[in-house]
Amino acid sequence: MSVFNGQTAVERVAEDPVLTAELLLLFRMILADGEISEAELDTLRRICKESFGIDEADLDDVVDYLRTYGYETTIAQSLAVFRRLDHDRKQLLARNMVAIAKADRALGKQEVQLLARALKLLEIEPSEILSTPR
C-alpha cells in the first residue's frame, strides 16, 4: 500500500480531481489505438511512480477505480479541471501522453487524433513538448 499523508493511492486519486483527470487522459491514451501493449503499460507505471508517487503495486487498484470513475466523468468536468492546471503541469501531461503513445513504437491514427485534441484542450503548441525532452 502506498501511503501519502496516511492515504492509499486509490484514496489520493479519488480525492484529487486533477490527478484523476490526468490519469484518465493517460489511460485513454493507452486505449486510443485499441491495443494495450506492455510497453505502454510500463510507461504508464513509470509515469505514475515518477510524476504521481503511485507505486506499481497500487496501480491495478488505481486503474480499477479509474475504470469505474471514468464512466461518470463528463467532458465538461474534465475541461474545467484542465483549465485550472498551470502551464508547466499541462506540458508535463502532454509529454507523458506522447511517451505513452510512442512506447510501442507505433503511432496510430487514433493516438495522433487524441494527442491533437489534448494539445488543443491544454492550450499547448506541439513545439513546446517536442523542444524540451523529459
Side-chain angles (χ1 to χ4, degrees), residues 29 108-118:
M29 179 52 69
K109 180 181 176 183
Q110 300 89 342
E111 290 170 315
V112 171
Q113 290 172 337
L114 179 56
L115 278 171
R117 286 191 310 260

Side-chain angles (χ1 to χ4, degrees), residues 77-115:
Q77 290 169 323
S78 294
L79 284 172
V81 167
F82 292 130
R83 285 189 184 118
R84 293 192 312 248
L85 293 178
D86 65 44
H87 197 73
D88 288 342
R89 191 155 176 186
K90 289 177 184 180
Q91 284 181 323
L92 179 59
L93 176 57
R95 284 191 189 99
N96 286 337
M97 290 181 69
V98 169
I100 288 171
K102 292 171 57 177
D104 63 1
R105 303 194 190 289
L107 196 58
K109 180 181 176 183
Q110 300 89 342
E111 290 170 315
V112 171
Q113 290 172 337
L114 179 56
L115 278 171

Side-chain angles (χ1 to χ4, degrees), residues 41-104:
L41 289 174
D42 287 344
T43 302
L44 179 64
R45 287 181 193 104
R46 179 189 53 77
I47 290 167
C48 284
K49 177 72 174 169
E50 293 175 3
S51 296
F52 307 119
I54 298 171
D55 291 329
E56 186 174 339
D58 298 322
L59 192 56
D60 286 343
D61 291 337
V62 170
V63 168
D64 286 342
Y65 169 77
L66 292 174
R67 283 184 183 143
T68 302
Y69 184 79
Y71 293 113
E72 300 172 6
T73 304
T74 67
I75 293 170
Q77 290 169 323
S78 294
L79 284 172
V81 167
F82 292 130
R83 285 189 184 118
R84 293 192 312 248
L85 293 178
D86 65 44
H87 197 73
D88 288 342
R89 191 155 176 186
K90 289 177 184 180
Q91 284 181 323
L92 179 59
L93 176 57
R95 284 191 189 99
N96 286 337
M97 290 181 69
V98 169
I100 288 171
K102 292 171 57 177
D104 63 1

Side-chain angles (χ1 to χ4, degrees), residues 25 97 113-124:
L25 190 55
M97 290 181 69
Q113 290 172 337
L114 179 56
L115 278 171
R117 286 191 310 260
L119 291 177
K120 185 175 181 176
L121 168 76
L122 296 170
E123 300 173 331
I124 299 288

Side-chain angles (χ1 to χ4, degrees), residues 21-40:
E22 287 178 287
L23 289 170
L24 280 168
L25 190 55
L26 294 173
F27 192 64
R28 287 184 180 136
M29 179 52 69
I30 288 176
L31 301 174
D33 63 2
E35 298 176 19
I36 300 174
S37 76
E38 193 59 37
E40 290 170 329

